[in-house]
Amino acid sequence: MDNVSVVTVFTLSGLSGIANYKITIFIFTLLCYCVIWLVNLTIIVTVIVDKSLHEPMYIFLCNLCVNGLYGTAAFYPKFLYDLLSTTHVISYAGCLLQGLMVHSSIGTDFSLLALMAYDRYVAICRPLVYHSLMTTQRVCIFVCFAWLTPFSLILMSTITTATSRLCGSHIQRIYCINWLIANLACSASVATIIIPAFNYTFYFGHAVFVFWSYVHLIKTCQSSKENWNKFMQTCVPHLFSLAVVVVSFLFDMLYMRFGSKEIPQSFENFMAMEILFIPPIINPLMYGFKLTQIRNRVLNFICGLPPQQALTTAQATDQYMFLTSATEVRNTIHSGLMAPATLVMLLKLCQVKKLPELGLSIP
């Protein structure tokens, strides 16, 4: 028992048996990583540069893309290096760090998506108090919570794993995760059981909260066709992204714990990679194509067209999508929270939608 804790490196066996395909996999993986950087960085820069996108929904989306780059940075560089190397090992500290980054990235994804569900609930179900509830200070607090809470929870789990005495150094995967490291422990401690159980319970609470939000959203949006159009415009990208993350995570977690040992190694590698491949690409693409303001801003930049008029129209259209009555439109216009250009476009939309009871004229 004297040497059970002397583990300085771990051996990753996930790349065994693919020597003939290493170059092909390397090129494909490098291409995927470049695409992940391209699509996420496009959304991040668009939101940061365009002041009209400095709103809660787009701030949360920007953080979701930053988190996608953070999580994939823990995997792709090391994986690309291993594809060109003859030995597939990782240091003890590097393995713990990789597990911490991957797990905390997944946790941050869930937290940000839960915040986006809350944002959609307030915007659609309580539009008159949206700006008073989703203030800049409160949004900053929400964002800090979404980043720091998952990191703290996973850090506690990592510290617990790091203090365990290990009886092995062989990890049957292409990257490190805490659960597989903990399985190498000579004996299970209470902390290694309680902390993961608390983490799962915490994120189950996220799922309950998202479900509650969408129950209210669907009830509200069923009242009219216009409400349903609002739901399709702003909630479908969020639901799709949430489904992608949840399904990817569940497939990976369930396979890791209950998967058959007779499954080919190539399929095991795909199951391990899909949580770090599908969400980071699908999330920015889905939001980029579906959300009018981001789509128009990116297209205007690519085509070299002046963005102001297109963005003003898109912003006014998005604002109008949340308003279901003449009273709500009037209160929003009188609130003074909109830029003058957006106000002019909103008034024009009001006239197009035939709301003469507003008693407002177009400048």
Side-chain angles (χ1 to χ4, degrees), residues 94-120:
C95 192
L96 292 174
L97 178 62
Q98 188 177 54
L100 171 64
M101 292 179 66
V102 170
H103 282 86
S104 61
S105 173
I106 296 172
T108 302
D109 261 348
F110 281 112
S111 294
L112 287 170
L113 288 169
L115 286 177
M116 295 172 83
Y118 175 72
D119 176 74
R120 295 301 85 206

Side-chain angles (χ1 to χ4, degrees), residues 56 60 114-135 138 142 209 212-214 216-217 220 230 234-235 322-323 328:
F60 295 146
L115 286 177
M116 295 172 83
Y118 175 72
D119 176 74
R120 295 301 85 206
Y121 162 75
V122 177
I124 293 177
C125 298
R126 305 180 64 189
L128 295 181
V129 297
Y130 178 77
H131 291 288
S132 61
L133 288 178
M134 303 300 290
T135 61
R138 190 166 295 175
F142 286 160
F209 174 76
W212 173 85
S213 298
Y214 271 95
H216 284 271
L217 279 168
T220 301
K230 290 191 300 183
T234 61
C235 297
F322 294 117
L323 308 175
E328 291 178 4

Side-chain angles (χ1 to χ4, degrees), residues 61 137 179 236 250 265 289 330:
L61 173 59
Q137 182 180 8
W179 187 78
V236 167
L250 288 178
Q265 184 66 52
F289 281 115
R330 184 188 298 109

Side-chain angles (χ1 to χ4, degrees), residues 227-239:
N227 284 341
W228 188 250
N229 289 336
K230 290 191 300 183
F231 181 86
M232 298 299 294
Q233 173 70 22
T234 61
C235 297
V236 167
H238 176 264
L239 275 176

Side-chain angles (χ1 to χ4, degrees), residues 165-179:
R165 295 170 61 86
L166 303 181
C167 289
S169 61
H170 185 77
I171 297 178
Q172 295 181 336
R173 203 175 176 90
I174 56 179
Y175 61 88
C176 295
I177 56 174
N178 285 344
W179 187 78

Side-chain angles (χ1 to χ4, degrees), residues 124-200:
I124 293 177
C125 298
R126 305 180 64 189
L128 295 181
V129 297
Y130 178 77
H131 291 288
S132 61
L133 288 178
M134 303 300 290
T135 61
T136 302
Q137 182 180 8
R138 190 166 295 175
V139 169
C140 291
I141 294 174
F142 286 160
V143 169
C144 290
F145 169 84
W147 279 95
L148 296 179
T149 303
F151 185 84
S152 301
L153 292 175
I154 302 303
L155 181 61
M156 288 191 296
S157 179
T158 302
I159 292 174
T160 302
T161 303
T163 57
S164 302
R165 295 170 61 86
L166 303 181
C167 289
S169 61
H170 185 77
I171 297 178
Q172 295 181 336
R173 203 175 176 90
I174 56 179
Y175 61 88
C176 295
I177 56 174
N178 285 344
W179 187 78
L180 292 179
I181 302 174
N183 282 351
L184 298 175
C186 301
S187 60
S189 65
V190 176
T192 58
I193 298 174
I194 293 178
I195 293 178
F198 174 81
N199 291 347
Y200 287 130

